[in-house]
C-alpha cells in the first residue's frame, strides 16, 4: 500500500459535471482529491482486505442471529424496546440487505492485519464516488497514460449493486427517500435509483416529508398510495425515535436496509463481537462503557458513542491524555471503549480504508484521508489502483 502523488487532471471538474458528480467539493474545499492515489499489491487486496471483510461480515450476521433473541443484548445497544419486534421479525423473515461498508485501519503488507473500526451497515455514503467516479478516473488515467498500463481497481460495486437489486426485488418498484436538500445524500440515492432502474425496477424518489402512514399500516406517498418497498437513507435509530417509527413492525411496507441492520450499525456490536471472538486478528478489544473489563485497555483507547456519524463525539486517549476529540450531538445512548488502532499516516495524512459489502460479498474499496486521527465529514476521497 503506497501513496503516490499524481498531478490532478486540469479538467476533472468538467468530467465530474458530465458524470453528475456534483458533491465533489464542500464549502470550496475538495472532497474528491486526485492529487494522489493509493496503490495496492494484489495480495494486499485479496488476503488483507477482501478475505477478512468476508469473514467479518459473516461474524456480524452470526451476532445478529444471537442478538435478536436476547433482549439483554438489544438493551445493551440502546435500541428502544418498542423496536425489538420489528427487528426480530425482519430477521426471521430474512428481509434482504443491500450493502454496507466496513471501516478498517490498515497500513499495508507488513503492518499487521486490518482492524475493524466500525460497520456502516445502515446508511453508508461515499458510494457513488467509490463505484463510478473512481472507476472513470482509472479508465481516463489509463487512456491518457497517466497510470501504469495494466493496473486495475478493486471495484465491482456497480455490477453487484444492479444484480443485488434484481435479486432482492419482491415487487416491480422500490421507492427511495432521503433528505432532498443534502447534496451527498441525494447524490447517493440518485445513484442507487439508477442501479435499481438498470435492474428493471421502477425507482421513484420521495422526499422524507412526503411519506405518511395510512389506516392499514402502509407507509404511503404524498398521494396516499401504499409503498411496497422503500430504500431509506435515514438511520434506523432516527426512524425508531420518530412518531411513525412505532408502526414499522406491523407495517406491510418492506425496507431496505431492513430493521435488523440497526443491530449492525451500532458500535455496541463491536463489544459483543470481541466477546464472541476474543483475540480475532481483525477485531480490536472493545467493551461497553459500563463493563469493568474495559480496564484492560488502560489509558489508551477510543471512546465512541453507540450511535454517531462522521467521527462526532469520538474521543481518543493515549496514555491517559486526550490525543483527539470531536464534539457533536451524540452519546445519549451510551458509549463503547475500543482498543487504539491509529490510522496509518501517509505524508501526514491519516488514511481510512472502507471495504464495501454488497449482499454478503466484498465488492470494492474506498479510501478517505483526514488531517487528524479521527475521520470526519471533512475527510477527502482519494482513488486507488491495484499494481499491474
Amino acid at each position: 500500500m503506497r501513496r503516490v502523488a499524481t498531478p490532478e487532471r486540469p479538467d476533472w471538474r468538467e468530467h465530474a459535471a458530465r458524470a453528475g458528480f456534483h458533491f465533489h467539493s464542500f464549502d470550496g474545499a475538495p472532497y474528491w482529491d486526485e492529487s494522489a492515489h493509493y496503490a495496492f499489491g494484489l495480495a494486499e487486496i485479496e488476503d488483507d482486505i477482501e478475505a477478512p471483510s468476508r469473514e467479518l461480515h459473516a461474524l456480524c450476521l452470526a451476532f445478529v442471529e444471537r442478538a435478536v433473541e436476547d433482549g439483554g443484548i438489544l438493551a445493551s445497544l440502546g435500541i428502544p424496546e418498542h423496536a425489538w419486534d420489528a427487528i426480530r421479525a425482519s430477521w426471521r423473515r430474512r428481509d434482504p440487505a443491500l450493502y454496507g461498508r466496513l471501516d478498517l485501519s490498515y497500513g499495508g503488507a507488513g503492518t499487521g492485519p486490518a482492524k475493524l473500526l466500525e460497520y456502516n451497515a445502515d446508511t453508508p455514503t461515499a458510494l457513488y464516488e467509490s463505484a463510478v467516479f473512481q472507476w472513470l478516473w482509472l479508465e481516463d488515467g489509463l487512456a491518457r497514460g497517466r497510470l501504469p498500463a495494466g493496473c486495475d481497481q478493486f471495484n465491482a460495486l456497480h455490477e453487484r449493486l444492479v444484480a443485488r437489486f434484481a435479486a432482492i426485488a419482491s415487487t416491480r418498484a422500490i421507492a427511495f427517500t432521503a433528505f432532498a436538500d443534502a447534496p451527498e445524500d441525494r447524490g447517493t440515492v440518485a445513484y442507487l435509483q439508477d442501479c435499481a432502474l438498470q435492474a428493471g425496477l421502477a425507482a421513484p424518489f420521495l422526499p422524507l416529508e412526503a411519506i405518511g402512514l395510512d389506516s392499514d399500516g402502509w407507509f404511503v406517498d404524498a398521494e396516499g398510495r401504499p409503498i411496497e418497498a422503500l430504500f431509506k437513507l435515514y438511520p434506523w435509530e432516527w426512524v425508531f425515535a420518530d412518531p411513525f417509527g412505532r408502526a414499522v413492525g406491523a407495517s406491510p411496507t418492506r425496507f431496505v436496509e431492513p430493521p435488523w441492520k440497526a443491530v449492525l450499525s451500532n458500535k455496541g456490536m463491536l463489544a459483543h463481537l470481541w466477546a464472541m471472538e476474543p483475540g480475532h486478528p481483525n477485531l480490536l478489544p472493545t467493551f461497553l462503557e459500563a463493563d469493568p473489563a474495559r480496564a484492560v485497555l488502560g489509558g489508551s483507547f477510543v471512546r465512541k458513542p453507540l450511535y454517531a456519524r462522521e467521527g462526532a463525539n469520538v474521543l481518543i486517549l493515549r496514555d491517559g491524555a486526550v490525543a483527539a476529540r470531536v464534539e457533536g450531538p451524540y452519546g445519549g445512548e451510551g458509549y463503547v471503549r475500543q482498543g487504539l488502532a491509529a490510522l496509518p499516516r501517509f505524508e501526514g495524512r491519516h488514511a481510512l480504508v472502507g471495504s464495501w459489502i454488497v449482499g454478503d460479498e466484498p465488492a470494492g474499496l474506498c479510501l478517505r484521508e483526514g488531517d487528524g486521527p479521527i475521520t470526519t465529514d471533512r475527510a477527502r476521497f482519494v482513488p486507488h489502483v491495484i499494481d499491474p
Side-chain angles (χ1 to χ4, degrees):
M1 178 181 178
R2 300 174 289 119
R3 189 180 192 275
V4 183
T6 316
E8 67 176 31
R9 296 168 294 173
D11 57 349
W12 73 261
R13 289 173 179 78
E14 287 78 6
H15 282 265
R18 285 195 295 273
F21 184 22
H22 301 301
F23 52 98
H24 55 67
S25 301
F26 291 139
D27 299 330
Y31 163 59
W32 170 264
D33 184 357
E34 59 176 54
S35 65
H37 67 269
Y38 283 87
F40 291 83
L42 184 59
E44 290 179 312
I45 295 291
E46 292 182 342
D47 300 339
D48 295 351
I49 297 174
E50 186 176 9
S53 295
R54 182 179 291 107
E55 183 176 332
L56 287 169
H57 176 73
L59 182 61
C60 290
L61 296 184
F63 170 62
V64 179
E65 179 77 28
R66 178 181 300 189
V68 297
E69 303 300 339
D70 188 330
I73 292 178
L74 295 175
S76 76
L77 301 179
I79 296 174
E81 191 167 354
H82 69 76
W84 295 0
D85 284 346
I87 291 170
R88 287 173 175 145
S90 71
W91 176 255
R92 290 169 180 165
R93 287 191 305 263
R94 294 298 191 265
D95 287 355
L98 180 64
Y99 75 127
R101 193 192 69 231
L102 297 155
D103 282 349
L104 307 171
S105 177
Y106 176 70
T111 64
K115 298 291 188 181
L116 176 64
L117 301 179
E118 59 190 63
Y119 194 2
N120 296 285
D122 185 16
T123 58
T125 54
L127 182 65
Y128 168 80
E129 51 271 42
S130 296
V132 177
F133 201 66
Q134 179 178 224
W135 183 258
L136 295 176
W137 166 87
L138 174 74
E139 289 187 326
D140 192 51
L142 290 170
R144 299 190 195 193
R146 295 167 59 89
L147 294 171
C151 68
D152 201 352
Q153 196 172 84
F154 180 30
N155 192 350
L157 274 162
H158 182 78
E159 297 83 355
R160 293 192 182 177
L161 285 167
V162 173
R164 186 65 180 164
F165 271 116
I168 69 176
S170 58
T171 66
R172 291 179 300 170
I174 178 170
F176 289 77
T177 193
F179 288 113
D181 56 354
E184 185 181 13
D185 287 9
R186 186 67 190 90
T188 299
V189 168
Y191 170 59
L192 286 170
Q193 287 176 264
D194 183 59
C195 291
L197 288 169
Q198 292 188 41
L201 306 174
F205 180 78
L206 304 176
L208 272 166
E209 61 274 17
I211 296 174
L213 185 69
D214 73 9
S215 57
D216 294 324
W218 287 95
F219 285 83
V220 296
D221 64 16
E223 284 72 42
R225 293 173 297 206
I227 303 168
E228 294 189 49
L230 178 67
F231 174 92
K232 45 140 213 77
L233 200 66
Y234 187 72
W236 274 115
E237 67 267 25
W238 295 0
V239 174
F240 294 145
D242 287 344
F244 287 178
R246 291 176 179 269
V248 168
S251 175
T253 300
R254 294 292 175 259
F255 297 89
V256 179
E257 301 295 332
W260 60 261
K261 277 293 192 82
V263 174
L264 298 187
S265 61
N266 187 303
K267 294 175 186 62
M269 176 194 70
L270 301 164
H272 291 285
L273 291 185
W274 181 253
M276 289 170 61
E277 295 284 343
H280 190 290
N282 301 113
L283 295 176
L284 290 163
T286 305
F287 306 91
L288 295 167
E289 181 80 348
D291 186 349
R294 72 185 188 281
V296 303
L297 298 176
S300 296
F301 57 86
V302 182
R303 185 172 181 255
K304 298 179 175 180
L306 297 183
Y307 293 108
R309 280 164 177 74
E310 306 290 1
N313 297 98
V314 171
L315 169 71
I316 298 178
L317 261 71
R318 189 186 298 276
D319 298 327
V322 175
R325 180 201 301 268
V326 173
E327 302 297 338
Y330 304 106
E333 293 82 8
Y335 292 85
V336 295
R337 293 189 182 186
Q338 185 180 56
L340 187 57
L343 294 177
R345 297 182 68 182
F346 296 84
E347 299 180 23
R349 298 164 174 85
H350 302 256
L352 175 72
V353 171
S355 178
W356 291 102
I357 301 290
V358 176
D360 296 319
E361 288 296 318
L365 197 66
C366 67
L367 287 107
R368 288 186 297 157
E369 287 185 341
D371 295 329
I374 300 173
T375 304
T376 71
D377 59 358
R378 297 296 165 178
R380 296 170 293 278
F381 188 105
V382 180
H384 81 277
V385 302
I386 303 173
D387 285 326

